[in-house]
Amino acid sequence: MSRDEVDRALGRLGAEHEAIETSLLALQDHAGRRLLEGAELTGVTKDRWATAERQITVLWAHFEAYTAALEAARELRARRRWLSQDDLATLTDMLRGNGVTVSGGSAAGSPGRLSEQLSLETLVDRMNGLYARALDVIVSADSVWTALPARIDLLAAELRRTRSLAHSVGVRPGEHPSGDDLEDITGELDRLRAEVLTDPLAFWVPATDASAAPGGGRPDTDRYDRAARALEDVRREIEAVLAVRQDAERRLMQVRDLLSRADRTLTEARQARGEVLAKIAASEVPAVSGPSTTLHEQLATAAEYRRRARWHLLSPLLESLEERAEEELLRARESLTAVTAPLAVRAELRGRLDAYKAKVARHGLAEDLLLVERYDIARRMLWSAPCDLRAAEHAVLRYQHAVAEALAAGQQDHEGES
């Protein structure tokens, strides 16, 4: 090799060294690796992770050998600016020959050999292969852990809601087929979650493309999908049971929803009232009452009537509740509108003030001292807290009148000049 070839080879190998080191450090800190190291693994994941750990150990040993060989070549090159033929011959052997000694072992792909002599280029290829295989295990396991447990937990939450609903309509294990199905789905989800956490690679479908990057593939969701479909079937069955008594329950739910919306609106009105009192100097902001305890008590009574199948008492009570719940929601909305009215007035005044300012600017009166003074007075009032709305409105009107007078004077001057 010539001196230039040596320098180019050292630059290329140095860049590869830096890239490999960065990849190894990223592998060391990968969240999936930490999870694998801390988990109680079973099955295929336990076996593959044990192999991957050995590969990572060999990978670091190879990297250390690569580092030492590269440093030795760099040191020889740095001794003198002009290399002798002997130096070039030595560097050629170091950079292209099989001069790097690494330990053998099954993890490195050479079973039964205690050590090997490799070139730097071959060593890089070896390390790339080890890295890709170890990363594939880590990324695949991490992908399964990222995707499946969360979905299983969501389905389990839906299952709990469905079981609660089923229990409320008498769908119980041993008494109704759907109750037995719910028990089976519960057991399957518990088993599935436990298996996913301990053996994630059993739920990994590798990519069929041989050129796919490490971790190429997708989580196997077949068992999850079957459980989701089974739960959906049970949910439909429970809805069919509910349809038998849907009229009373539907009406009760509507009343509950109306009262809930009324309560939320009243809460919003109380919060808005505090904001208005802090921002607007106004004593006429109306007080906001609390939710109607009477209506909530009557709703609880209606629900008890339905549970006890006392339909003759439930019907007139429901009619009264539906009418009064509508009135309660209307009252809550009126309260919210009333307490937020000052904020709406302030917003309208701000918009009007800015609109007139823009109009003044279009007519070339932005520097008019009287207009500037009256605008500043109005703006300070509108953007102060608490804001005196009456005084602010008066200030805006004074500004409007001043603008109108200035525009009229400007028009007369223009006509006089004409």
Side-chain angles (χ1 to χ4, degrees):
M1 298 173 66
S2 67
R3 185 187 66 174
D4 290 341
E5 288 174 330
V6 167
D7 290 341
R8 286 195 298 271
L10 285 173
R12 176 177 53 79
L13 292 170
E16 289 176 343
H17 178 274
E18 184 177 348
I20 292 170
E21 183 178 31
T22 300
S23 297
L24 287 177
L25 292 175
L27 186 69
Q28 194 75 14
D29 293 334
H30 197 289
R33 173 175 178 160
R34 292 196 295 271
L35 290 173
L36 284 166
E37 289 177 336
E40 295 182 5
L41 302 176
T42 60
V44 64
T45 306
K46 181 178 180 180
D47 296 337
R48 289 191 62 188
W49 176 236
T51 300
E53 283 188 306
R54 291 193 298 271
Q55 290 172 338
I56 293 172
T57 300
V58 173
L59 182 54
W60 276 105
H62 282 20
F63 180 69
E64 290 173 0
Y66 180 86
T67 302
L70 181 59
E71 286 300 319
R74 283 172 169 172
E75 182 179 345
L76 177 57
R77 174 64 184 90
R79 287 178 186 175
R80 57 178 64 91
R81 181 177 180 183
W82 301 106
L83 298 171
S84 67
Q85 290 301 314
D86 290 340
D87 292 336
L88 290 173
T90 302
L91 281 169
T92 299
D93 185 58
M94 295 175 73
L95 297 176
R96 291 184 175 176
N98 295 331
V100 184
T101 303
V102 297
S103 59
S106 58
S110 51
R113 300 180 61 177
L114 296 178
S115 64
E116 292 181 275
Q117 295 292 122
L118 303 174
S119 67
L120 288 173
E121 184 176 351
T122 303
L123 188 56
V124 168
D125 292 339
R126 174 76 59 80
M127 286 190 291
N128 287 336
L130 290 170
Y131 173 81
R133 291 193 291 275
L135 183 63
D136 183 68
V137 173
I138 293 171
V139 173
S140 300
D142 188 50
S143 297
V144 173
W145 278 333
T146 299
L148 272 178
R151 296 175 67 180
I152 293 171
D153 289 344
L154 288 174
L155 188 60
E158 178 64 25
L159 173 62
R160 288 192 294 271
R161 289 191 290 270
T162 304
R163 291 183 66 179
S164 176
L165 181 62
H167 189 270
S168 69
V169 297
V171 177
R172 300 180 177 87
E175 300 178 9
H176 194 283
S178 292
D180 298 331
D181 292 340
L182 286 175
E183 287 297 298
D184 293 340
I185 296 170
T186 301
E188 170 63 3
L189 285 183
D190 290 342
R191 289 188 299 271
L192 180 59
R193 194 179 196 284
E195 292 173 23
V196 166
L197 292 178
T198 59
D199 192 9
L201 294 182
F203 297 87
W204 183 252
V205 181
T208 56
D209 186 358
S211 62
R218 61 173 180 81
D220 182 359
T221 62
D222 286 350
R223 286 176 59 182
Y224 167 85
D225 293 338
R226 286 197 297 271
R229 288 193 296 269
L231 180 59
E232 179 64 19
D233 292 341
V234 172
R235 191 182 62 79
R236 291 197 184 97
E237 181 65 25
I238 294 172
E239 287 177 350
V241 176
L242 284 169
V244 177
R245 294 179 287 179
Q246 68 178 359
D247 188 58
E249 179 63 15
R250 177 184 57 79
R251 294 170 67 188
L252 275 173
M253 290 296 294
Q254 287 178 343
V255 172
R256 285 194 192 96
D257 181 64
L258 288 172
L259 291 181
S260 176
R261 288 157 59 192
D263 292 348
R264 291 196 301 270
T265 304
L266 288 173
T267 299
E268 184 180 352
R270 286 192 292 274
Q271 294 172 346
R273 186 173 188 272
E275 179 183 355
V276 170
L277 291 176
K279 294 181 177 181
I280 307 296
S283 59
E284 63 272 13
V285 180
V288 181
S289 64
S292 173
T293 55
T294 301
L295 289 179
H296 284 282
E297 290 171 356
Q298 290 180 347
L299 179 61
T301 301
E304 184 66 21
Y305 287 165
R306 190 193 70 81
R307 282 193 293 271
R308 296 185 179 183
R310 303 179 71 176
W311 311 114
H312 63 293
L313 296 176
L314 177 60
S315 180
L317 180 57
L318 262 180
E319 290 179 3
S320 173
L321 272 173
E322 287 168 341
E323 181 179 353
R324 296 185 61 191
E326 290 278 4
E327 294 172 353
E328 178 70 3
L329 179 58
L330 179 61
R331 180 181 71 85
R333 288 172 173 170
E334 289 173 347
S335 295
L336 179 60
T337 301
V339 298
T340 56
L343 292 178
V345 172
R346 186 186 65 174
E348 190 276 330
L349 289 174
R350 287 178 173 180
R352 195 194 314 171
L353 182 65
D354 288 341
Y356 269 87
K357 182 183 179 184
K359 186 175 183 180
V360 166
R362 287 197 304 271
H363 287 81
L365 298 174
E367 303 300 327
D368 187 294
L369 294 179
L370 177 63
L371 297 182
V372 170
E373 178 186 0
R374 292 194 177 181
Y375 173 83
D376 289 340
I377 292 172
R379 192 182 192 285
R380 280 197 301 272
M381 288 183 177
L382 285 172
W383 269 267
S384 63
C387 171
D388 187 335
L389 278 182
R390 289 190 178 90
E393 184 175 14
H394 179 67
V396 172
L397 288 174
R398 289 184 66 208
Y399 179 63
Q400 288 180 236
H401 292 155
V403 171
E405 291 173 359
L407 292 177
Q411 181 65 27
Q412 290 175 358
D413 292 343
H414 179 72
E415 291 175 356
E417 292 174 0
S418 300

